[in-house]
Amino acid sequence: MARAIWSGSLSFGLVNIPVKLFGAVSPKDVRFHMLHDADGGRIRLRRFCEVEDREVPYEHVVKGFEVGANRYVTVTREELEAYDPKATRTIEIHDFVELAGIDPVFFESTYYLVPERSAAKAYRLLGQAMRRAGKVGIATAVLRTRESLCCVRPSGEEALALSTMNRADEIVPASSLELPEAGGQPSERELAMAEQLVASLAGPFDPERYPDLRRQRILELVERKAEGQAIEAPQPEAGPAQVVSLADALAASLAAARGGGKAAGAGGEEERAAARPARAARRSAPPQAARTVASKRPRKRRA
């Protein structure tokens, strides 16, 4: 059962909807511990003072902002807490805008908003109104002592989602990039072939078609090593074929798409279909691996 990470209310105008916030994403990264190669012991990171050459207890660690070479301004926890925004426990919608008008670069993390039972009608009212208007809400909320800019939007047929957003001054504008100066323009034939290629590859978004093959292979490697199997290094994959010209690349890509395949170097569906989806769901090494490492550790004798 998922646990709420925040509770408060969602407001627009004078309407307040008691809601709870639940995580919408469960990262599946393969995480490893750092171990000593000689005995399998855990490697721990410690707070170490470079001046006194010794470990420092947490209660004597302060925050410092670098203002010059080896020059810092220290700030206490009490000073920082004085600037924390007031925890209003309210997600306040300020404006309604079109979702297409928001560049995806603004979005950070996404959560689900779930109403209290008594607020189900108001919750559905807001969702249906946004769906009919084709709008999403821009809001602010205090989450984890920080005021976050948020986007409240319909998700699925009934739910509302909340995505935290980057601020305007945090976005690197594309105009600041050193892009190549305008060179040769594509010909009408090249543009027509590119449009045909886009049309031939167009379809509804299906995230199941794009599994994390690297994560699956790493989990398989860990499981096989835990079972004591001999591991051989995989053969390097062949790189994409050399392209003579843009027109040739487009023509070859179109031929492959019309034939139901993929252009060279794009990756095959057979490889993805052969992946094991059950193992993709595992977030860490199987229990056998933990026991294998633990068995190598020498037991400490009590004095």
Side-chain angles (χ1 to χ4, degrees):
M1 182 68 179
R3 294 181 59 185
I5 60 176
W6 183 92
S7 62
S9 63
L10 173 63
S11 71
F12 67 107
L14 298 178
V15 180
N16 282 278
I17 308 170
V19 293
K20 292 182 179 180
L21 203 64
F22 292 83
V25 177
S26 177
K28 301 295 183 182
D29 294 338
V30 180
R31 300 184 180 276
F32 293 95
H33 293 295
M34 294 188 296
L35 306 177
H36 186 192
D37 60 356
D39 54 21
R42 285 283 300 274
I43 303 297
R44 305 286 183 178
L45 299 181
R46 297 182 177 181
R47 303 175 186 89
F48 199 78
C49 177
E50 296 179 348
V51 177
E52 298 183 2
D53 194 30
R54 67 182 180 89
E55 187 177 356
V56 179
Y58 179 75
E59 57 268 21
H60 292 293
V61 176
V62 297
K63 295 180 181 293
F65 187 88
E66 188 172 9
V67 295
N70 296 320
R71 293 181 58 235
Y72 301 90
V73 172
T74 59
V75 182
T76 66
R77 295 182 181 88
E78 291 75 17
E79 289 172 331
L80 290 176
E81 289 173 356
Y83 289 94
D84 286 344
K86 184 179 179 180
T88 60
R89 314 300 293 181
T90 301
I91 302 168
E92 183 178 358
I93 296 178
H94 303 283
D95 303 287
F96 288 97
V97 303
E98 293 186 0
L99 181 60
I102 305 175
D103 191 314
V105 73
F106 278 92
F107 293 116
E108 287 185 320
S109 302
T110 300
Y111 306 88
Y112 289 126
L113 291 167
V114 178
E116 297 290 348
R117 191 177 297 274
S118 60
K121 182 178 181 179
Y123 179 88
R124 290 192 176 94
L125 173 67
L126 175 59
Q128 291 175 13
M130 284 196 290
R131 287 180 176 88
R132 288 192 179 188
K135 306 288 186 180
V136 297
I138 302 300
T140 53
V142 178
L143 306 174
R144 299 188 179 94
T145 72
R146 173 192 173 192
E147 184 183 68
S148 297
L149 181 66
C150 307
C151 173
V152 178
R153 57 184 176 82
S155 178
E157 296 182 359
E158 294 286 340
L160 293 179
L162 178 144
S163 295
T164 55
M165 303 176 67
N166 296 302
R167 301 282 182 169
D169 58 359
E170 296 176 312
I171 303 300
V172 178
S175 59
S176 67
L177 303 177
E178 296 182 2
L179 299 175
E181 295 183 2
Q185 293 295 323
S187 66
E188 286 299 325
R189 176 173 174 269
E190 291 169 338
L191 184 57
M193 285 194 294
E195 291 175 345
Q196 292 176 35
L197 179 58
V198 170
S200 66
L201 298 176
F205 174 57
D206 180 9
E208 297 295 335
R209 292 185 58 200
Y210 314 102
D212 188 340
L213 297 179
R214 180 179 182 272
R215 173 162 54 88
Q216 293 178 7
R217 290 166 179 166
I218 290 176
L219 292 176
E220 290 177 357
L221 168 67
V222 171
E223 183 171 332
R224 289 167 60 193
K225 295 191 74 171
E227 294 172 353
Q229 298 183 26
I231 306 298
E232 296 182 2
Q235 295 295 324
E237 296 182 1
Q242 293 294 326
V243 176
V244 178
S245 69
L246 181 58
D248 291 341
L250 289 168
S253 300
L254 270 174
R258 289 167 178 166
K262 291 278 186 179
E269 286 296 328
E270 296 82 5
E271 183 181 26
R272 299 182 184 277
R276 302 179 187 178
R279 287 177 176 170
R282 302 176 187 174
R283 296 186 58 186
S284 58
Q288 296 95 325
R291 288 196 292 268
T292 302
V293 173
S295 64
K296 296 180 181 180
R297 300 180 184 173
R299 295 186 177 179
K300 295 182 180 179
R301 296 181 179 178
R302 296 185 179 178

